[in-house]
Amino acid sequence: MADGTGLDERLADLAAEGRRFAVPPAAEQIRARGERRRRRKRVAQVSGGALLAVAVVSGGLWLALPGSGTAPPAAHPSPSSSGFVPPTPAPGEEYASEIGYVYDAVLAGDSVRVTVKPRTGAVHTLTLSPQLPVEVEHVAGGEPADMRLGELVDRLSGGPRWQFAVDYDGEGRVRSLREASW
């Protein structure tokens, strides 16, 4: 093969290149893994930043648009002849609770009227939204559940049977009912 075609050299180069790709040296493997790791990290940072930006924008829009939330409006207790004054939250607390029997529920148009007989204090009547959130367990048959007051009117229509914690905000509005169980 001394005819000058360089076939020997070409075959030697091909054999060396084949070995290099068949079993890459450890340094090349390490570099390749490092590069893949860096690419994954960059992709995660870019997608995480984009996700955060979308969350901030959508949260801002949700807050800025009037009436876009599905949260029920807070209900003000109706005035009663008992002179009832709603409890106020302690400093640093979000709600103040009153524990008592909730009964005589009546659906009246777009509101529910209930009677509250607290452990201490005067019996009073509240007019609440049927969408008011209620945490129940025994009222729902022993399974913990989140319901709306409108769904419980028939169960609360009788006499004093179920005890609830009535949560009031700082403005005296009822924010939720939680079944009290001991």
Side-chain angles (χ1 to χ4, degrees), residues 133-148 151-152 155 164 177-179:
V134 182
E135 294 177 21
V136 294
E137 184 174 343
H138 299 293
V139 176
E143 290 294 320
D146 291 328
M147 300 180 81
R148 301 288 177 192
E151 299 173 281
L152 297 170
R155 295 179 195 151
F164 286 88
L177 297 174
R178 293 176 289 121
E179 185 178 359

Side-chain angles (χ1 to χ4, degrees), residues 63-78:
L63 291 173
L65 295 176
S68 64
T70 59
H76 283 284
S78 64

Side-chain angles (χ1 to χ4, degrees), residues 20 23-38:
R20 188 172 68 106
V23 181
E28 286 185 28
Q29 287 178 337
I30 292 170
R31 275 193 295 276
R33 270 188 260 141
E35 183 58 34
R36 284 193 304 265
R37 199 173 15 251
R38 279 190 293 277

Side-chain angles (χ1 to χ4, degrees), residues 103-118:
Y103 60 100
D104 284 344
V106 176
L107 187 59
D110 61 346
S111 62
V112 176
R113 192 175 59 247
V114 296
T115 301
V116 178
K117 179 181 179 183

Side-chain angles (χ1 to χ4, degrees), residues 19-158:
R19 280 191 302 273
R20 188 172 68 106
F21 285 113
V23 181
E28 286 185 28
Q29 287 178 337
I30 292 170
R31 275 193 295 276
R33 270 188 260 141
E35 183 58 34
R36 284 193 304 265
R37 199 173 15 251
R38 279 190 293 277
R39 265 187 268 137
R40 282 194 305 265
K41 186 177 179 181
R42 280 193 300 263
V43 168
Q45 287 172 337
V46 169
S47 64
L51 181 61
L52 177 63
V54 169
V56 167
V57 168
S58 64
L61 289 175
W62 181 80
L63 291 173
L65 295 176
S68 64
T70 59
H76 283 284
S78 64
S80 63
S81 60
S82 67
F84 169 72
V85 177
T88 56
E93 296 291 323
E94 190 172 359
Y95 300 115
S97 295
E98 167 189 39
I99 297 178
Y101 289 99
V102 176
Y103 60 100
D104 284 344
V106 176
L107 187 59
D110 61 346
S111 62
V112 176
R113 192 175 59 247
V114 296
T115 301
V116 178
K117 179 181 179 183
R119 292 178 178 176
T120 60
V123 174
H124 54 92
T125 302
L126 299 175
T127 302
L128 306 169
S129 166
Q131 296 303 314
L132 185 74
V134 182
E135 294 177 21
V136 294
E137 184 174 343
H138 299 293
V139 176
E143 290 294 320
D146 291 328
M147 300 180 81
R148 301 288 177 192
L149 183 59
E151 299 173 281
L152 297 170
V153 171
D154 59 333
R155 295 179 195 151
L156 300 175
S157 63

